[in-house]
């Protein structure tokens, strides 16, 4: 939690003024029982009503109430401003750090828990900050101030306060210590429920296709019951706070009434003073109940703060670990690795990839070079590691073995922002964002002109798609591009990557929804782009056969590198893929 307080620095003034105004309210509130006691003892003394005095004291009470109300409203304004500003800064920092993380780090945490931490957890922290600024000075001041005021009235009666307050503190802090770890479990259970909900929403078509609605419903109900059980369990402990504090305080009030009656009968106290002492005890009761609720809220906030802080402290492990290693000892890999890195535009130097938590390596000994401006085709069966290989290029997944070099620099040493400015990526799943076609295309280059946008659309064979929509470039795009077909989404995502004319273009099976004619036009248009190094991942031999270099993968290993003609002669796996899509007889006739 201490690390999160830096987000309150911008609101130091509000963080100071809020508790000070609450303190002012508390001070005025402490004078109320004294005024009431004077009304009873002097205004109503011995049955002789002194109306002018009662009215004067009544006006004082009204003045105390008005000043207290103004102080309370002012304190609430400053507390709310600080709390909302704190949560806004924290959420922005959290989002920025998530954007910086590579896929390995994101996989460790999980999407559902990241959503929970950015929403529910941050909201709990906001509520916690708000309540602390309002009550962390007010409640202790009222509790101890009421006890001190009681001592000024009568020491013997006030000794009851000395006995009651420690008992109340034991109950409040004991419940806090028990409930804090339980609240952490509750937030973990919320992660699971949110994760299951998210999976059902994203996979609703598959669930319905296999008629598994009832199965998913029962699974959700089971997880929801577990969460309910955990919340009920921790709720029982939290619910004990109010009744236990009421029992002690009401017991103290009974003792005060008894002692007060004895002291009044002996003439040591007046009736008004007894009423004042009881009012002070009631003030303590109210403030301790508030304090108990504050502690419960703070317990939740502390648990949420730990979860948020873990995400804020997450780093790109492989990238940062490599940076430390190279700083401590330069040229760790030796002169040979350095010579190899400078031998071509891009060098895969025995690179490998093992996903976090996976037993076996996904990629092993990726060793090849790529010259600038080349078109590289990557082909292989399902699960052979094609997407994993191209994910190494923008360091979305850092290489866990060997290294990948770009223009002589290890990718892990290049700033991720600078690296990805050079790269245009079209992932397997075509994703469009809610907005317009123009706003989606401008992701590729923020200041792109209409001419640049239309040129990218033309290369991506998406000109007709855009011209067929009302508003053309300003046509509406629904969330995930629901108002476009699969092929249209793919062409628009290819155009988005082409807007900035990147040095490296990665097409990760991004033409799978296109017909063969459109795919052929797209490949022809891409081949005419100068100075761009293009990586084409596909299961279609037709998509890669004209590439300058084709890499054939099988079970995470390279089993063939060469041109289409070379691989047809010496790579059995490429032959299987190629001839399963092209009949041998047709190829011979074409030859």
């Amino acid at each position: 939690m201490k690390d999160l307080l830096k987000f309150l620095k911008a609101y130091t003034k509000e963080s100071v003024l809020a508790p000070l105004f609450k303190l002012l309210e508390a001070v005025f509130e402490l004078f109320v029982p004294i005024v009431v006691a004077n009304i009873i003892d002097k205004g109503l003394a011995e049955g002789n009503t002194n109306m002018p005095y009662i009215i004067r004291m009544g006006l004082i009470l009204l003045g105390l109430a008005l000043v207290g109300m103004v102080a309370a409203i002012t304190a609430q304004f400053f507390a709310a401003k600080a709390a909302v500003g704190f949560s806004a800064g924290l959420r922005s920092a959290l989002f920025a750090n998530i954007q910086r993380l590579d896929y390995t780090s994101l996989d460790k945490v999980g999407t559902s828990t990241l959503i929970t931490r950015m929403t529910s957890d941050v909201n709990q922290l906001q509520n916690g900050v708000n309540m602390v600024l309002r009550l962390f000075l007010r409640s202790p001041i009222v509790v101890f101030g009421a006890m001190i005021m009681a001592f000024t009235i009568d020491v013997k009666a006030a000794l009851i306060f000395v006995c009651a307050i420690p008992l109340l503190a034991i109950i409040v802090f004991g419940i806090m210590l028990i409930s804090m770890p339980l609240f952490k479990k509750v937030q973990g259970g919320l992660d699971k429920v949110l994760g299951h909900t998210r999976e059902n929403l994203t996979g609703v078509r598959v669930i319905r296709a296999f008629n598994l609605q009832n199965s998913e419903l029962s699974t959700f109900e089971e997880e929801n019951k577990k969460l309910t059980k955990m919340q009920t369990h921790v709720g029982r402990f939290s619910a004990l706070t109010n009744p236990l504090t009421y029992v002690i305080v009401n017991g103290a009030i009974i003792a005060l009434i008894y002692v007060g009656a004895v002291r009044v009968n002996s003439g040591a106290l007046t009736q008004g003073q007894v009423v004042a002492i009881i009012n002070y005890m009631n003030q303590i009761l109210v403030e301790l109940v508030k304090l108990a609720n504050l502690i419960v809220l703070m317990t939740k906030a502390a648990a949420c703060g730990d979860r948020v802080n873990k995400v804020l402290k997450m780093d790109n492990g492989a990238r940062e670990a490599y940076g430390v290693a190279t700083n401590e000892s330069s040229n760790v890999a030796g002169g040979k690795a350095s010579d190899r890195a400078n031998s071509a535009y891009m060098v895969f130097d025995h690179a490998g990839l093992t996903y976090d938590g996976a037993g076996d390596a996904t990629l092993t000994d990726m060793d090849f070079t790529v010259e600038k401006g080349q078109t590289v085709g990557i082909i292989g069966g399902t699960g052979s590691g094609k997407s994993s290989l191209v994910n190494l290029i923008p360091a979305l997944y850092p290489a866990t073995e060997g290294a990948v070099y770009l223009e002589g620099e290890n990718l892990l040493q290049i700033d991720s922002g600078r690296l990805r400015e050079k790269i245009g990526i079209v992932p397997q799943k075509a994703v469009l964002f809610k907005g317009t076609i123009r706003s989606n295309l401008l992701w590729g280059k923020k200041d792109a002109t209409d001419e640049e946008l239309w040129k990218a659309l033309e290369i991506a064979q998406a000109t007709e798609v855009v011209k067929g929509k009302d508003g053309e470039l300003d046509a509406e795009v629904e969330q995930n591009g629901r108002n476009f077909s699969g092929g249209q989404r793919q062409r628009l995502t290819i155009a988005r990557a082409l807007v900035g004319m990147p040095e490296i273009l990665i097409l990760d099976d991004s033409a799978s929804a296109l017909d063969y004619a459109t795919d052929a036009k797209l490949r022809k248009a891409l081949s005419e782009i100068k100075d761009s190094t293009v990586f084409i991942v596909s299961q279609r031999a037709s998509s890669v056969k004209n590439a300058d270099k084709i890499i054939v993968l099988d079970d995470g290993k390279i089993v063939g590198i060469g041109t289409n003609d070379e691989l047809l002669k010496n790579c059995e796996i490429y032959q299987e893929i190629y001839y399963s899509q092209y009949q041998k007889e047709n190829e011979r006739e074409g030859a």
Side-chain angles (χ1 to χ4, degrees):
M1 281 292 290
K2 290 181 181 178
D3 295 332
L4 302 181
L5 294 178
K6 63 184 179 183
F7 296 102
L8 268 177
K9 283 185 179 179
Y11 300 91
T12 304
K13 180 183 72 174
E14 289 81 359
S15 301
V16 172
L17 290 175
L20 285 180
F21 274 99
K22 271 294 179 181
L23 179 60
L24 181 64
E25 179 199 2
V27 170
F28 282 107
E29 192 172 320
L30 288 173
F31 286 110
V32 171
I34 296 294
V35 177
V36 173
N38 286 333
I39 292 174
I40 294 171
D41 291 338
K42 296 179 181 179
L44 301 172
E46 299 178 358
N48 297 322
T49 304
N50 187 348
M51 284 304 297
Y53 184 81
I54 293 174
I55 292 172
R56 190 163 64 251
M57 290 296 104
L59 290 173
I60 291 174
L61 283 176
L62 184 61
L64 290 172
L66 288 173
V67 173
M69 182 181 71
V70 171
I73 292 172
T74 307
Q76 176 59 45
F77 170 77
F78 286 124
K81 185 177 179 181
V84 171
F86 164 82
S87 65
L90 177 59
R91 196 178 287 112
S92 295
L94 194 61
F95 186 80
N97 196 53
I98 290 171
Q99 292 295 311
R100 188 179 62 84
L101 297 176
D102 58 32
Y103 285 4
T104 301
S105 300
L106 292 174
D107 291 344
K108 286 180 182 178
V109 185
T111 305
S112 59
T113 186
L114 288 175
I115 294 171
T116 306
R117 295 183 197 202
M118 280 200 64
T119 53
S120 175
D121 288 355
V122 173
N123 286 339
Q124 290 284 4
L125 284 166
Q126 177 181 323
N127 292 335
V129 169
N130 191 1
M131 293 301 291
V132 165
L133 292 178
R134 290 167 55 193
L135 296 178
F136 88 98
L137 265 185
R138 174 192 160 82
S139 292
I141 289 296
V142 170
V143 170
F144 290 105
M147 185 173 69
I148 291 169
M149 295 295 284
F151 269 101
T152 62
I153 296 172
D154 186 68
V155 175
K156 289 186 178 180
L159 289 174
I160 296 171
F161 286 70
V162 178
C163 297
I165 290 175
L167 288 174
L168 290 167
I170 290 170
I171 289 171
V172 169
F173 287 101
I175 290 173
M176 179 189 73
L177 292 173
I178 293 172
S179 58
M180 186 177 290
L182 296 176
F183 277 120
K184 289 184 180 180
K185 290 183 179 179
V186 168
Q187 291 301 112
L190 183 61
D191 286 345
K192 291 182 179 179
V193 171
L194 180 61
H196 189 81
T197 304
R198 182 177 177 276
E199 286 177 357
N200 273 260
L201 289 173
T202 54
V204 63
R205 294 172 186 248
V206 178
I207 292 168
R208 289 180 179 176
F210 287 89
N211 195 30
L212 290 174
Q213 295 96 315
N214 292 334
S215 174
E216 289 298 311
L217 184 61
S218 62
T219 304
F220 178 82
E221 286 178 351
E222 184 179 347
E223 290 177 352
N224 201 26
K225 283 178 181 177
K226 288 180 181 178
L227 177 60
T228 304
K229 188 176 180 181
M230 285 189 288
Q231 288 176 322
T232 304
H233 183 57
V234 69
R236 288 196 184 104
F237 285 104
S238 298
L240 287 173
T241 307
N242 285 3
L244 289 176
T245 52
Y246 272 104
V247 166
I248 292 173
V249 172
N250 287 329
I253 290 174
I254 293 171
L256 279 174
I257 293 172
Y258 174 77
V259 172
V262 172
R263 302 280 287 168
V264 168
N265 193 45
S266 65
L269 283 176
T270 64
Q271 293 176 352
Q273 288 175 326
V274 173
V275 170
I277 291 173
I278 292 173
N279 281 337
Y280 281 128
M281 182 58 77
N282 283 324
Q283 283 185 351
I284 289 174
L285 169 63
V286 172
E287 290 306 318
L288 282 173
V289 169
K290 288 181 182 177
L291 189 60
N293 291 331
L294 173 63
I295 289 172
V296 170
L297 188 61
M298 281 301 299
T299 303
K300 292 180 181 179
C304 294
D306 288 341
R307 286 159 49 85
V308 170
N309 204 31
K310 285 179 182 176
V311 177
L312 285 175
K313 288 186 174 181
M314 286 185 68
D315 54 30
N316 290 326
R319 176 182 289 276
E320 298 193 10
Y322 183 87
V324 171
T326 52
N327 288 336
E328 291 176 351
S329 54
S330 60
N331 295 324
V332 174
K336 291 183 179 179
S338 179
D339 293 341
R340 178 82 191 281
N342 291 311
S343 64
Y345 176 66
M346 182 175 290
V347 177
F348 284 74
D349 188 6
H350 302 282
L353 174 64
T354 303
Y355 290 111
D356 187 64
D360 299 323
T362 302
L363 295 174
T364 306
D365 198 29
M366 297 290 111
D367 194 61
F368 60 92
T369 61
V370 178
E371 298 299 332
K372 189 168 186 177
Q374 276 191 328
T375 297
V376 180
I378 301 173
I379 195 168
T382 302
S384 59
K386 302 185 297 296
S387 295
S388 297
L389 176 58
V390 292
N391 279 335
L392 295 178
I393 299 170
L396 296 175
Y397 282 104
T400 53
E401 294 178 5
V404 182
Y405 296 92
L406 178 64
E407 296 181 314
E409 286 187 272
N410 190 314
L411 292 181
L412 299 182
Q413 290 179 292
I414 303 174
D415 175 72
S416 58
R418 181 164 65 91
L419 172 64
R420 289 167 194 167
E421 282 179 357
K422 299 181 177 183
I423 301 173
I425 307 173
V426 185
Q428 280 182 321
K429 183 180 179 182
V431 177
L432 294 176
F433 297 92
K434 183 177 175 63
T436 63
I437 293 175
R438 184 192 302 275
S439 67
N440 273 272
L441 294 179
L442 289 177
W443 279 59
K445 185 182 177 183
K446 292 181 180 179
D447 57 351
T449 62
D450 283 6
E451 184 181 351
E452 290 174 313
L453 297 182
W454 283 112
K455 183 179 179 181
L457 289 167
E458 183 182 354
I459 296 171
Q461 310 302 307
T463 305
E464 292 181 4
V465 175
V466 177
K467 287 188 174 179
K469 296 285 183 180
D470 292 336
E472 296 188 351
L473 286 173
D474 295 312
E476 183 183 0
V477 177
E478 294 182 6
Q479 187 177 7
N480 291 326
R482 287 194 300 263
N483 54 332
F484 291 87
S485 68
Q488 290 174 335
R489 285 198 298 270
Q490 283 194 337
R491 280 179 278 175
L492 287 173
T493 53
I494 292 170
R496 178 172 60 197
L498 288 168
V499 169
M501 288 300 168
E503 289 184 24
I504 300 171
L505 178 64
I506 300 172
L507 304 177
D508 186 3
D509 206 12
S510 54
S512 58
L514 303 184
D515 58 77
Y516 283 95
T518 305
D519 185 20
K521 291 178 184 178
L522 172 64
R523 284 185 280 110
K524 183 180 179 182
L526 289 173
S527 66
E528 295 173 357
I529 299 176
K530 297 179 180 180
D531 300 326
S532 283
T533 305
V534 182
F535 290 83
I536 301 175
V537 176
S538 182
Q539 293 183 0
R540 292 180 182 175
S542 60
S543 296
V544 301
K545 72 175 185 176
N546 294 321
D548 299 312
K549 180 181 290 185
I550 301 172
I551 299 170
V552 186
L553 298 181
D554 183 48
D555 196 23
K557 298 175 183 176
I558 296 175
V559 293
I561 297 180
T563 62
N564 178 69
D565 293 337
E566 290 170 348
L567 291 171
L568 284 175
K569 294 177 182 178
N570 56 34
C571 183
E572 184 179 345
I573 291 178
Y574 185 75
Q575 291 170 4
E576 291 177 3
I577 296 171
Y578 187 88
Y579 289 126
S580 66
Q581 298 172 20
Y582 290 90
Q583 294 295 326
K584 288 184 179 181
E585 292 78 13
N586 291 340
E587 285 296 306
R588 287 169 184 165
E589 288 174 8

